[in-house]
Structure formats: structure tokens, C-alpha cells
Amino acid sequence: MDEKKSTVSLALRKTPFKRLTASILIGEFGLYLVLLTPVQLLITLKLTEIAPKSISTDFGIISGIGALFAMAGGPIGGILSDRTKLKFGRRRTWIAIGIIVGSISVFTIGLTSSVLLMGILWCLAQLFFNFSIAAFSALLPEQVDEGKRGSISGFMGLLIPFGPVIGMGVVSLMGAATLWIKFLVISLIGIITMFISIILLIDDNIIPSKRKQVIIKKGMQISKIYPSPRKYPIYTWGLLTKFFQSLCTAAIVYNSVMLVERFHYSSEQTATKTTLLSVTMMLFMAISAIGGGIISDKIRKQKPFVIASAIICGVALGIIAFAPTFTFVLLGMACIGFGSGMYSAVDQALMSRILPVKEDYAKDLGVVNAFGSSTQSIVPLIAPSLISLGSWPMLYGVLSIAGAISAACVVPIPELSSKAPPSNQSKIELTS
């Protein structure tokens, strides 16, 4: 018996561009503040307080295991978001759940005196924060026309360092306040910005009643966590580009530990110096990310920005590797900021145009973001072994090689078409 073919076409209401931009920037600012401030500073300070003799080892274990949960959180959160039917909205629902649960987990880390419990709570935070990241990422291909994606992509990429910069600044301003209060304030900022973000966001429930039939008949295709590399090779090249570029620039995660063990700074000095490094990186990243995104939209090219990023970040890591003083580390971080901004200018725009299946936007972007964010934890996990083998030059040398691999992986990805596509209303088409 022949299978009948029917198509369900549903129009998405779009959030006005400026309002959508504000929603994403406010929400992701708070998300990355509460996600990355702990891994870049607060967890180190907490370990200094409760386990000062094994900071590097404990930090590596906690961050490394957390990376596994981050990798799982992206695709799982994406699948949940893609298939949520609540009137509140499928993206808004998981933005809210992810940030609330993640923020509560971060706050509880500040209350515990157990390294084991710290690890468990950090894994929970990584899992749920990546639920939110997957939902946020799906908004770009769903609600933004291709010709405008480069501009907003540059701003979105800037939030990754900007959030923790503000977070560490807030921590420094609190001075002698107890550590759990610092965890509390950071967590509250994440929750408050989330509420503002979802109020601004228009998020339709577009899952049709026939969706269940589609899943049954196409179960082997839609239920796959990872799209077939043979069928969608460009997606895999994009993911590898993201992963290796993120691995290259993830050196910033190790800043606080490096300052303690390499330059023997106190906790107060470490907080101040780490904030200065992050502020410097953010300023240079702002220049290249925002400017690069606008230029990318105008010239309709993305790959040159990825290649330039790899070269600049490689030089920067070389400077940091042999830095005799903090001043040279600061110079290297400025270069990393400018280089990573070049990549951030096109990151989200590039990935959003090579997604395999519209019905699985959040899931597929969740996989990409999980691999990218996992490097923030992978570096502390592998760093102790690399440092023991060849000190700091070995660590930063390996990370610079990852940047070169990223540049090679972007080559097979087709460049943007020479003409911008028409600005049509977004649609979801399901065939059964």
C-alpha cells in the first residue's frame, strides 16, 4: 500500500529584529556570566579555600567530568526544545529551565565544603546550562534572515568573554565578602537576565499534531543524535571547525590556575589579574567581532575570518607560552581576544546556514555548541599532563596546533552565495 504524502507548512511569527537582538544579548550575557565566571575564577577560589594542596588536580577533574555533561546537554536539550509543545514556547521553556536549575547548582557550590559535591553540582550546572544554549542557538536560523546573521553573530560571540568579565568584575567589587555570597550574586544575575530575555522573546509553539506520525515513519532519521557525516559532510566539517577553534582559545579557562601556580599570586591578586586579562581580551574581541560580523555580511565571505583567527591566536599562544612576566601574558590575551573575535564574527552565521534538517535546528546546534563549550573544561583536564611533559610551552603549543586544524577544517565548507537570499518568513515543513 502506497504511503500518502502530505506537507504541513507552518509560518513562524518572528520577534522584531531589534527586540530579538536585545533578548538574545541580555539572555546569553547572563547565561555566560553564571556559566563561565565559576570555571574561570570562582571554582579556583573555592578550591583554594577547601583544598589548597590539590587545586590544579581537583580543578582538572571537576572541569573534565563537567565537559561530558556539557556535551550531553547540548543535543539532549536541543531534542527536548525541538519537540516541546507548551504554549509558553519551546525555546523559552528550555531557556528558563536550563538557567534556573544551572544557577541554583552554581549557588549551591558556594555553600559546600566537599570537593566531591562541588563536582556533582558543576556537572548538573553544565548539563542544564547547555539546555539553554541549545534553545538560544536555534533562534538565529529560525528568526533571523541570512543577510543579517553575521551582524548578530558577532555580538553573540562577544558574550562568551563579556559575561565572565562582568562576573569577575562583580566578584572583585565585593572584595572581602564571603565566597558563598559571591556565588549567590552571580547566580541571581543569571536568573534576572533570563526573565528579561524571555519577556522580550516571541516564541510560537509550532509543533503540529501530525508530528508524532512523522517521528514514527522517519524514526531512524529524526531520532539520530548526530546527522550522518556521509549524508551531511559539511555539517561535520563545521562542527570540527568549531571544536578545534574553541580548543585553541580555551586557554583562557586556565588563567586563574596559571596565575596561582606560575606567578604565585594570592587569591586577591589572582581575582584582580584574571579580571584584567579578561577585560583586555573582551575589548579587543569587541573590535574584531562586531566589525567582522558587519564586514562579513557586506562581502558575503566567512571562511577568511576563521583562517585569520587561527593565525592570530597561534601567535598569541606563543607569546603566553614564553611570557617572563604578567605584561607579556596580558599582550598575549589581547591578541587572543582579537583573533577569537574574528571567528566569533561568523561563527553562529556559518553554522546556522549548514544545518541539515529544519525540524532539528536546536538539536543539531546543541551538538555543535556542546563540542565547542566542552573545550572550556577539556583544557583544565589535559593541562596538568601537558605541563608535566613540557611546562607551559607544551600546553600552549598543543592548543595552537588545534587552531591550525580549525583553519583546515573550514576549507571544505562552501562560501556564502554571491547574492543574499530573499527575506522570507520562516517556515517549518514536515513531510509524511
Side-chain angles (χ1 to χ4, degrees):
M1 184 175 180
D2 292 336
E3 190 176 293
K4 292 182 179 180
K5 185 176 181 180
S6 62
T7 301
V8 179
S9 181
L10 297 174
L12 281 173
R13 283 192 308 156
K14 289 185 178 180
T15 309
F17 182 73
K18 290 183 179 180
R19 180 172 166 178
L20 176 67
T21 301
S23 172
I24 292 175
L25 295 185
I26 292 171
E28 288 204 341
F29 160 72
L31 169 59
Y32 285 114
L33 180 148
V34 72
L35 170 61
L36 297 182
T37 303
V39 78
Q40 292 188 22
L41 178 62
L42 289 179
I43 290 178
T44 300
L45 297 182
K46 186 66 179 180
L47 290 172
T48 302
E49 183 180 274
I50 66 174
K53 295 182 179 180
S54 55
I55 296 174
S56 181
T57 301
D58 290 338
F59 182 82
I61 293 173
I62 291 171
S63 300
I65 296 176
L68 299 178
F69 283 79
M71 293 179 69
I76 292 173
I79 290 171
L80 293 171
S81 179
D82 285 334
R83 287 152 179 76
T84 293
K85 299 181 181 180
L86 298 178
K87 290 183 179 180
F88 186 69
R90 54 184 187 153
R91 307 308 180 202
R92 294 205 306 171
T93 296
W94 291 101
I95 288 171
I97 291 174
I99 292 178
I100 289 172
V101 177
S103 297
I104 292 173
S105 300
V106 166
F107 164 62
T108 311
I109 290 174
L111 298 176
T112 184
S113 59
S114 165
V115 174
L116 175 61
L117 187 54
M118 280 183 64
I120 293 172
L121 290 167
W122 182 241
C123 289
L124 188 64
Q126 284 275 35
L127 180 69
F128 277 87
F129 282 137
N130 276 274
F131 285 0
S132 295
I133 290 173
F136 269 122
S137 297
L139 295 174
L140 193 66
E142 282 181 349
Q143 298 205 25
V144 181
D145 298 325
E146 188 177 281
K148 295 181 179 180
R149 290 177 188 170
S151 300
I152 194 171
S153 177
F155 282 105
M156 290 172 71
L158 185 60
L159 293 171
I160 296 176
F162 183 72
V165 163
I166 300 300
M168 288 184 285
V170 170
V171 170
S172 295
L173 287 175
M174 286 190 282
T178 55
L179 195 53
W180 75 267
I181 292 179
K182 296 177 181 179
F183 274 94
L184 172 62
V185 171
I186 294 301
S187 301
L188 287 176
I189 293 174
I191 292 174
I192 292 169
T193 54
M194 175 274 295
F195 276 114
I196 297 173
S197 175
I198 62 176
I199 288 171
L200 292 172
L201 181 63
I202 296 174
D203 182 25
D204 284 339
N205 177 357
I206 62 167
I207 305 298
S209 59
K210 293 186 178 182
R211 176 71 188 211
K212 186 175 181 180
Q213 298 176 11
V214 177
I215 293 175
I216 292 173
K217 293 178 181 179
K218 288 188 164 186
M220 292 304 293
Q221 174 182 335
I222 294 180
S223 65
K224 285 184 178 179
I225 297 295
Y226 188 87
S228 169
R230 184 169 61 181
K231 189 174 182 180
Y232 304 107
I234 301 304
Y235 173 82
T236 295
W237 285 118
L239 183 147
L240 291 174
T241 298
K242 171 87 170 182
F243 175 78
F244 284 109
Q245 198 279 338
S246 299
L247 189 62
C248 174
T249 56
I252 63 173
V253 180
Y254 214 66
N255 282 347
S256 58
V257 176
M258 176 189 67
L259 294 179
V260 170
E261 296 198 342
R262 187 178 182 183
F263 295 105
H264 309 293
Y265 289 133
S266 66
S267 295
E268 292 75 16
Q269 289 175 316
T270 298
T272 301
K273 299 287 187 180
T274 302
T275 301
L276 178 58
L277 291 177
S278 297
V279 169
T280 301
M281 177 183 172
M282 186 269 292
L283 291 175
F284 281 85
M285 187 175 183
I287 297 171
S288 57
I290 298 173
I294 296 172
I295 294 171
S296 173
D297 280 344
K298 289 184 178 296
I299 67 174
R300 300 197 61 75
K301 290 186 181 297
Q302 296 170 336
K303 294 198 292 186
F305 293 87
V306 179
I307 296 171
S309 170
I311 295 172
I312 296 171
C313 289
V315 172
L317 290 173
I319 294 173
I320 297 174
F322 298 98
T325 65
F326 176 79
T327 301
F328 283 87
V329 176
L330 189 65
L331 174 62
M333 288 300 296
C335 294
I336 286 180
F338 193 84
S340 59
M342 298 289 286
Y343 178 77
S344 297
V346 298
D347 174 22
Q348 296 287 336
L350 186 150
M351 291 308 307
S352 66
R353 70 179 174 86
I354 62 174
L355 295 175
V357 183
K358 287 184 177 180
E359 295 90 339
D360 292 325
Y361 273 164
K363 185 264 289 182
D364 293 337
L365 281 170
V367 173
V368 174
N369 289 326
F371 273 82
S373 62
S374 69
T375 61
Q376 301 285 332
S377 298
I378 290 173
V379 168
L381 183 63
I382 64 175
S385 297
L386 292 175
I387 292 172
S388 65
L389 288 173
S391 192
W392 301 100
M394 174 66 76
L395 171 63
Y396 293 112
V398 169
L399 296 180
S400 66
I401 292 172
I405 296 174
S406 172
C409 289
V410 79
V411 174
I413 300 176
E415 193 56 271
L416 281 163
S417 59
S418 57
K419 295 182 179 180
S423 300
N424 295 330
Q425 190 177 31
S426 297
K427 292 183 178 180
I428 293 292
E429 294 186 356
L430 304 179
T431 301
S432 60

